[in-house]
Amino acid sequence: GSPQDTASGGGDGAAPVKVGLVYSQSGPLASYGKQYIEGFKAGLDYATKGTGKVGDRKIELTEADDAGDPAKAVSAAKDLIGKGSKIIAGSTASGVALQVAPIAAQNKVLFISGPAATDAVTGANKYTFRSGRQSYQDVVTAKSFIGDATGKKVVVFAQDGAFGDANEAAVKKVIGGAGATVSSVRAPASATDFTPFASQIKAAKPDLLFVAWAGTTAPAMWQTLDQQGVLASTTVVTGLDIRASWPTFGAAGSKISFLSHYFDGASDTEAAKAAKAKIPGGTLDLFHPDGFAAAQMVVRAVSEGGDDVDKMVKALEGWQFDSIKGPMTIRAEDHALLQPMYQAKLSGSGTTFTAAAQKSLTGDETAPPVTQMKG
Amino acid sequence: MTNSVVEAPPAQVPDELTPGRSRWHGLRPFLPLVALVVAAIVPYSTVNLPGFFEGPLNSPGTLQLLAICLVFGGLAAGYDLLFGRTGMLSFGHALYFAAGVYGTDVLVTRAGLPLWQAALLAVTGGTILAALLGAVALRTVGIAFAMVTLAFAQVGAIVVARDFKLGSGEGLTGGEEGLPLDVSGLPAALVGVTNTVNLYWLALAYLTLVVFVVHRVSGSPTGRVLAGLRDDERRIGVLGLDPYRFKLVAFTLAGGLATAGGVVYCLIVGGASPHVTSSELTLSLLVMVVLGGPGTRWGPVLGGILYMYLDHRLTAFGSSDAVDNLPAFLSHPLSQPLFVLGTVFVLAVYFFPGGLTSLRSRLTPLLTALRRR
Amino acid sequence: MSVEPVLAVEDLSVRIAGLHILQGVSFTVAPTGVTVLLGRNGVGKTTTLRAIVGLTPRSGEVRGTIRMGVQSLLARPTHRLVRGGLGYVPEDRCVFAGLTVAENLRLAERRGSTPAYDKVFALFPELDRRGRQRAGSLSGGQQQMLAIGRVLLNDNRLLLVDEPTKGLAPKVVTEVAEVLERVAESVPVLLVEQNLAVVRRLAKDAVVLSAGKVAWTGNAQELLLETALTKSLLGVGSGEVHA
Amino acid sequence: MSTLVLLTLTGLGLAALYFLVASGLSLVFGLADVLNFAHGLFLGVGAYATWWAADNLPGAGSDGFGFVVAVAFGVLAGTLVAVLVELVLIRPLYSRTIEQVLVTVGLSLAGVALLQATWGADARPFPRPSWTREVTGVLGANVPNAGLLLIVAAAVVLGGLLAFLHWTRYGLVIRAGVENREMVTALGIDVRKAFTLVFAIGGAAAALAGALGGVYFGTVSPGQGGSLLIFAFIVVVIGGMGSVVGSAYAAVAVGLLQQFVNYYGTSGLGDICVVGLLAVVLLLRPQGLAGKVATA
Amino acid sequence: MLATRGLTWRIGEVAIVDSVYLDLAPGEFLGVIGPNGAGKTSLFNLITGLRRPTEGRILLDSEDVTALPPHRRARLGLGRTFQASSVFGSLTVRENVRLAVQAHRGGSMKLWRRAAADREVAAAADAALDRVGLHHRGAALAGTLAHGEKRKLEIALLLAGEPRVMLLDEPMAGVSAEDVPELVEVIKSLTGDSGRSVLMVEHHMDVILELADRIAVMHHGALLACDTPETVMANATVQEAYLGESL
Ligand SMILES: Nc1ncnc2c1ncn2[C@@H]1O[C@H](COP(=O)(O)OP(=O)(O)OP(=O)(O)O)[C@@H](O)[C@H]1O
Ligand SMILES: Nc1ncnc2c1ncn2[C@@H]1O[C@H](COP(=O)(O)OP(=O)(O)OP(=O)(O)O)[C@@H](O)[C@H]1O
Ligand SMILES: [Mg+2]
Ligand SMILES: [Mg+2]
C-alpha cells in the first residue's frame, strides 16, 4: 500500500455513515463525558425516531477516549478521519476542542465540539461547530441578576489561566459595558486556602460578585467565602455545576445565585421528555443537552449533506431546531449556538438538594457578539 | 544520606565501553541499521495487527501513534544521558521538552515565523535555557539537584498556565487550554491526515538522531568521564577533570535533545498543551528509562516506545467490550488506563529489575540450557 | 585437637556472579584461642567470613555445611546468628557514618545482656571522648576502633574479625593485639590478618587459603617458624615476619 | 489588624495541613530513604475510608464520638495499606532505592485510578462535625475552626513523632539501616521489622492528614492527595530530609509565605515564591534547613 | 616543589590541622606518620583541595594554589590515592585506568571521538595495570575487586596520571604480606628517576623506613617533627605516642 492512503468515505448510498466521538471516558472530566454520550445516544434516538438511520444509511458511532489529553484526542481524531469518518464530535475539555478544531479544518471534516465552554471554539473555522454553551453566555446570564448595571461595582473572582481570562474579559465587556465598574480577584487554580482572596473580595465591597471556578477545590472556596461573610454581604453569582457537586456547596448553596446551562427540570420540552425517558437513571444533568444537540446536528448534517462536508456545513449554518433546552439557533456567521440559559436557586441540605429555575433567558438575550471566522 | 537516593542507577556498563563477545559480534553493528530500514518502510505496509493497532500499519491513526511513540523513545534516550549514564536525577526535564513544544508553537502561531526559523530558534533557546539553568542547579547534588530542577520546571509550568498577555490581549500560551498550531504557514507536507506519514518519518529521524548522538557521546572520551561521574565525582576531580563542566555539558546536551523532541512533537500533535510542562512528564520519562534499562543503548528507547504505546492504547483497551463484559470489580479498575499503566509498571520494576534489556541476559542462561539438551 | 571445635566448616563452596570463589573449603575453629586465616589478596578470606555470618550477596550461592556445635548456621538469618553470640568485625569497618559514635555503640547493644561500656572505653578511651562526633568524620584508625569496640560490647561465643589492625598506628596495633589476646582467653576468635607480627603473637592455629582452596592447616607458630613453608605459602621470608 | 490575624492564623492552619502531609513523607524519606510518591495514595485511602466509615460503620458517624471512630477507622485503613505496600512491594527491592521510588510512582498512578474507578472522579461531600464548618472570632477575625483543628492535630503529631524518635531505638536502627542494611543485621538487629514500622507510621500520619484534609476541604476526591503532595515535598526538602522538626519549620514558612503573598501580591505569586524559596534554600544550604551536612 | 605555610583547618574550636609548615623538595620522599586521628588524611584533603583550610596557604612550585578547586590542582601535577579505596565501581578495572590516563593526557572533552579507538591511551593504561600486577583483572568490574586489589587499582590510577607530586594515603593497608615488597618496588620506581616528589602516609614502619628520605610526625594536627628517619625514630615522644612497644 502507499503511505498516503486513507480509507475513502464510501459514496455508496446505503453504506453506513461513520461518526467519530472523541470525548473523556476517563480522566478528570469523565463524568462530563458520560453525560455527553448518554445525551448523544438519546439525541440520536430522538432525531432518527429510534431507527438509528438517516434515510437508509445507518449512523455508525465509533467512540474514542481522550482522557482529557489533547495529544490523545488528536491521535484519535486522525485515526477516525483516516478511517473515513466525515464527522467528529465530542471534546469535553476546552483544550481538546481547540486542538481538534484545526485538525478538522485541515482535513475538511465536520467537527462538533461538546461541553468545552471556551469562547474560542466559536468562529474557530468553517468546519467547527459547537453543541454546548460558551462562557460568554454564562456571563450574560449573570448580568441578568443585577438589573441596571450603571454605577454598580462588580468583582470577578476567577482562577488563573484561559478559563478565568475569558470570564473576566466577558464580564468586563458585558457588565462593564453596561456601565458597571469591574475589577477582578484572581487565584491560582491550585490554591489550597482561600482566605486571602476572600479578604480581598470583602475589602472591595462589590454589589455583585461573579465567581468562575472549576475544579475540585470549589467546595473549599465556597466554604471560605461563606465563613468570611462574603456570601452574606453581596449578591454572588456563579455557574451551576453537575448534580453530583450540589451537596458540596453545603450551607453556602442557598446563598448563591446560580446561572445555569442546564439542570433537570429547567425545561419541559418534547426533547427533554424524550431524553429523560431514554437516559439511564431518568434524571437529566448539565451536559446531557450538549450530547443531545450534537446528535441532532449530526443527523441534520447527514440528511442534508450526505457525504459532502461542505453541504453539511451549509445545512447547519443558520439552522434552527428544538432541543432539550428549547429553541436553538446555529448562527451562520460564526457557528455560535444560541440557546436558552437559566437563573436558578438551590435548596435543601445534607445530600439532597434541588434546583429551581428562577427565570429563563432566550437565545437572543444571551447571544454572544459575532466573532470573525478565523479559517 | 542525602545522596543515596540518586546513587548510581543499577549499574550497567555502557555497551560501548565493553567489548562485545557474542557470536553475533560481526553482525551486531548492522542490526540497528536493519531496524531503521524496517521502521522506515513500515508506512508502505498494509499489514493489519488486530489488537495492537486500530487499523493497518499505514493508516494515519497508527502512524500518528507510532510517531508519538518514536518521539518519546528519543526523549527517553536523551534523558538517559543524564540519568542512566551520568547518574544525575533531574525532575525538570519536561521544561526543555516544553520549551521546544511551546517555543515552536508560539513562534509560528503568534509571531508568524516560518517553521524552520521557529524550530531553529526554539532549539537554540531551549539549549541555552538548559545551559543557564543547569549552571545554577548543578551547584547542588543528589536529591537537592532533583528538587532545584523540579522547582525551575514548576516555574515554567506556572508561566505557561498564567498565559501572559500580548499587547493585543491575546494570551501567549493559551493557559490551560493550550495553543493550537497555526498551520497556514507550514509546509503542506506536514499538514493533514494524509500526510501523517511525513510526521512519522520526522519522528523516526529524530529518534535516530538522538540514539546516534547518545551512542556516540557515551562511547567518546567524554562519555567515559560521565560514566566515571556516575560512580565517584570526587575521584574525577582528583584526576584533574572538572566534574561541574562535564555535568553541565551532559545537562545542556540532554536539554537540547529534549527541545528538539519538543519541536517534532508540536508538529505531530499540532499544538501545545500544558500537559507537557507537568512534572508528571519528567516522572514518566524516568519510568520509561527504568522500564527499558538505564544506561543501555536500546533500553530507554524501548521503554519510551512501550510506555507511550500503552499510554495511548490502554484508553481503547479500557473501553473495549472485553473489559466491559467483566464483572464490575474488574471492569471498573481496568477501564482506568492509569490503573493498568501503573500496575504494569509496578510489575515491570518488580520482575525485570534491570529493565527490558536485562531480559536478554536473563534469558540467555535459560536458552543455552535448553539448547544443550 | 581432641576437644570439639566451636565452628566446623566443611566443603564450603561460594559462587558469586558466576565466579567460583570458594571451592570446597574445610577447616575448624578450636574452642579456645585464635585461629588465623591467611592468604594473599583476593583468595577468599573475606568471602569465607561473610559466608559464615550469612552475608553472601543475593547473587551468590553457598554450598557445604557450617556448624557451630550441632547447630547448622546456613540458612539462618544473620541477625539471629549474631544474637546467638556470633560477633563480626567487617573488613571495611562499616561504621554508620551518619550516626554519632555513641549512637553507633548504642545500636550494637543487644537485648538481654548488659553492654560492657566500661570495658570498651577502657580499651579505646578515644571512643568515650568522641561520643558526639559523627562516625563518618572519624579518622580511619578511630573508625577501626569503633568497629572493634561495638562487638566487644556484648558477650560472644565466637568472634569473626577481618583485618582489625589495618590502618592502625603501630602503638594501637599492639594495643589491639593485646585486646584480642585477652578476648581470646574467653572467646574463640577466627581472625583474618596480614600483619604477621600480630599473627605471631596471637595465633594458635592457622588456616592458609590459596585461590579458593585450603592450602595448609595446622599450628600457627610452626608455620611461622618454618621459613620454607611461610615462603611457599605466604610468599614471605621469615626475616620479614619479624618486622 | 484583623486581616493580619486572620492571614496568620489561616496561614498556620495551612501550614498544619502541609505538615500533617509532610510528616509521614519526611519520616519515610528521611529514615527509610524512600521518596514515597504513593504517600498521596495513603492520604486518599485515609480520607475515603473515613468517609465510608461515617456512613457505613456501626458506631461511626459524622459528629462527636462517631466521627472520632470514623477517623480512627480511616487511619487504621491507611496504616494497613502502607504496611501491605511495604511488605509486598518495597521490601523485596531493598537497597535499590531508585526502583523503590519508581514502584511508588507506579502505585500512585494505579492507586489513584483505583479510587476513581471505585468512587468516581467527582468530589464527594465529606462527613464532618458541624462545628468544623463554623468560625471562631479571634481579635475581630473569623478564623475557621477546621484550621484550628489542624493546628492542634499537627502539634500532637509533631510531639508523637519526636517522642517515637527520641524514646525508641527505631529511629537509630532505621537511620543506620539506610546506610548499610547488611551491617545492621550483622549487629543482631532485624532491620526489616523496623522498616515496616516506619511505613506503618508514615501511612498512619498520611491517613490522618487525609481525614483531616477532608474536614478542611469539606470534600474528598481521588486527586486530592496528589495535589497536596507537591507542597509536602517542598516542605520536606526545605526542612531537610528526615528532620521532622525541620519539616515543621518549613511548613510554617511555606504556609505563611503563601498566604501573605497571595493577599498582598498578585495571583500566582504565592506559588512562585514558594518554589523560589525552595530553590534559594537548596542553593544556599543543599541539605535543607535542619538537615545534617552531607558526608564527604 | 610543594609547600604549606601555616596550614590550619578548624572545625568549631578544634584544630584538626594546626599551623603546618611543610616543604617538599623535588624528588624527595617524605613519609608522614602519626597516631590515628592525628590529621594526616585531613592534611592531604587540604593539599588536594577537597577541603578548604581556615588559615594558611598551599604553594605548588611556589604558586599559590590555596583557592584552586581539586581538578585545577590535579592538572598542575598533584595526584593522590585515598585511604578508603575510591574507584569507579561500575566500570571495569581497565576502563578505570583508561579514564585516568585520558584525564591526564587531555582531550576528555571530545564528544565525537571514539574513546576505544585511542591506542595510546589503551597502551598507557595497560602499562599502569601491569606495573601494579592487576593486568589479569582488567575485565572485572572494579566494584567487585577484593580489598587488596582495590588498593592496587588506586595506585594504578595514580600512576596513570603521571603526577609530579604524589600523595599516598596508606597504600599498604590491607595489601597481603606477599605483595608488599612488590608494591614498595613500584613506589620506589616512581621516585627514583624523574624528580617526582612523594608524600606518603603509612603505618607500616618498615615500609616507611625503606622509602622515606625524611619523616614528618603529626600529632594532634600539628607537625611534631620533620627530620631524617634515624632522628625521628630516636625521638622519645614519637616512640611513646606513636610506636609504643613493638610487638
Ligand atoms: N560481589 C562480588 N562479585 C564478584 N566477585 C566478587 C564479589 N565479592 C568478591 N569477589 C571476588 O572474590 C574473590 C575473593 O574476594 P575476598 O574479598 O574474599 O578476598 P580476600 O581474601 O578477603 O582478599 P583481601 O586480602 O584483598 O581482602 C576476589 O577475586 C573478588 O574479586
Ligand atoms: N568533620 C569533622 N568533624 C569533627 N572532627 C573531624 C571531622 N573530620 C575529621 N575530624 C577529626 O579530625 C581528626 C583527624 O582525622 P584524619 O582522618 O585526618 O586522621 P589521620 O591522621 O588520617 O588518622 P588515621 O591514621 O587513623 O587515618 C580525627 O580525630 C577526626 O576525628
Ligand atoms: Mg578481605
Ligand atoms: Mg587517615
Side-chain angles (χ1 to χ4, degrees), chain C residues 7-50:
Chain C
L7 180 84
V9 174
E10 255 166 60
D11 201 24
L12 179 66
S13 278
V14 176
R15 280 177 190 275
I16 300 176
L19 295 174
H20 204 168
I21 293 171
L22 294 186
Q23 308 165 8
V25 169
S26 306
F27 64 89
T28 58
V29 175
T32 54
V34 175
T35 303
V36 65
L37 195 58
L38 299 170
R40 296 183 62 168
N41 291 132
V43 292
K45 304 180 294 293
T46 302
T47 308
T48 310
L49 293 202
R50 289 174 65 89

Side-chain angles (χ1 to χ4, degrees), chain A:
Chain A
S2 126
Q4 308 205 331
D5 261 1
T6 56
S8 61
D12 179 6
V17 183
K18 294 180 180 170
V19 176
L21 295 175
V22 184
Y23 65 98
S24 289
Q25 293 172 339
S26 63
L29 298 183
S31 27
Y32 292 0
K34 184 159 175 281
Q35 294 176 12
Y36 176 83
I37 192 66
E38 285 172 3
F40 190 96
K41 290 188 170 149
L44 192 62
D45 200 60
Y46 177 77
T48 60
K49 308 212 165 46
T51 60
K53 286 183 180 171
V54 177
D56 46 5
R57 297 183 63 185
K58 200 174 159 4
I59 305 269
E60 187 183 293
L61 298 181
T62 313
E63 298 176 34
D65 181 12
D66 63 24
D69 176 359
K72 292 202 182 87
V74 167
S75 297
K78 284 193 171 181
D79 185 41
L80 293 167
I81 296 169
K83 284 189 198 142
S85 287
K86 292 278 187 236
I87 304 176
I88 303 285
S91 296
T92 326
S94 292
V96 170
L98 288 178
Q99 309 239 348
V100 174
I103 301 289
Q106 289 161 26
N107 298 291
K108 306 207 171 17
V109 299
L110 189 67
F111 172 50
I112 304 174
S113 161
T118 178
D119 290 318
V121 165
T122 298
N125 56 55
K126 179 182 151 193
Y127 297 94
T128 298
F129 290 78
R130 72 187 316 147
S131 67
R133 58 65 159 108
Q134 65 188 79
S135 295
Y136 199 96
Q137 288 164 323
D138 285 350
V139 175
V140 181
T141 314
K143 174 172 170 280
S144 67
F145 282 100
I146 45 166
D148 183 12
T150 349
K152 295 259 171 73
K153 201 165 170 194
V154 176
V155 170
V156 184
F157 179 42
Q159 62 202 38
D160 284 336
F163 173 69
D165 287 349
N167 276 284
E168 185 184 334
V171 171
K172 287 209 165 117
K173 197 150 165 197
V174 176
I175 311 183
T181 28
V182 180
S183 61
S184 77
V185 173
R186 302 292 293 272
S190 61
T192 314
D193 187 272
F194 293 89
T195 317
F197 311 109
S199 302
Q200 284 175 352
I201 295 168
K202 216 173 160 201
K205 296 199 172 50
D207 297 305
L208 177 88
L209 173 67
F210 179 79
V211 181
W213 199 273
T216 52
T217 48
M221 186 265 303
W222 288 116
Q223 179 177 324
T224 308
L225 291 190
D226 194 15
Q227 284 176 340
Q228 298 306 323
V230 176
L231 299 187
S233 66
T234 181
T235 311
V236 180
V237 183
T238 195
L240 185 61
D241 200 349
I242 57 170
R243 220 181 167 80
S245 75
W246 295 356
T248 64
F249 284 107
S254 56
K255 301 177 193 163
I256 305 169
S257 310
F258 289 101
L259 62 92
S260 169
H261 169 45
Y262 197 74
F263 57 88
D264 195 65
S267 69
D268 193 28
T269 58
E270 279 307 305
K273 283 182 202 141
K276 257 172 108 79
K278 192 75 193 159
I279 59 166
T283 308
L284 291 176
D285 208 343
L286 188 61
F287 290 118
H288 284 116
D290 297 30
F292 197 91
Q296 290 177 299
M297 291 163 75
V298 166
V299 172
R300 161 87 179 177
V302 173
S303 63
E304 302 291 314
D307 285 317
D308 183 341
V309 177
D310 286 318
K311 270 199 205 150
M312 294 184 191
V313 171
K314 279 272 148 347
L316 287 176
E317 285 181 342
W319 186 45
Q320 300 194 347
F321 60 106
D322 286 315
S323 189
I324 293 183
K325 294 174 77 175
M328 301 209 171
T329 309
I330 301 171
R331 193 161 61 193
E333 293 90 330
D334 58 0
H335 303 177
L337 186 63
L338 310 185
Q339 56 192 300
M341 296 290 290
Y342 308 93
Q343 288 185 0
K345 270 287 176 196
L346 214 51
S347 58
S349 65
T351 49
T352 47
F353 281 81
T354 44
Q358 304 288 100
K359 186 180 170 194
S360 82
L361 288 83
T362 66
D364 289 335
E365 283 172 313
T366 58
V370 177
T371 51
Q372 180 71 36
M373 185 72 81
K374 288 195 196 78

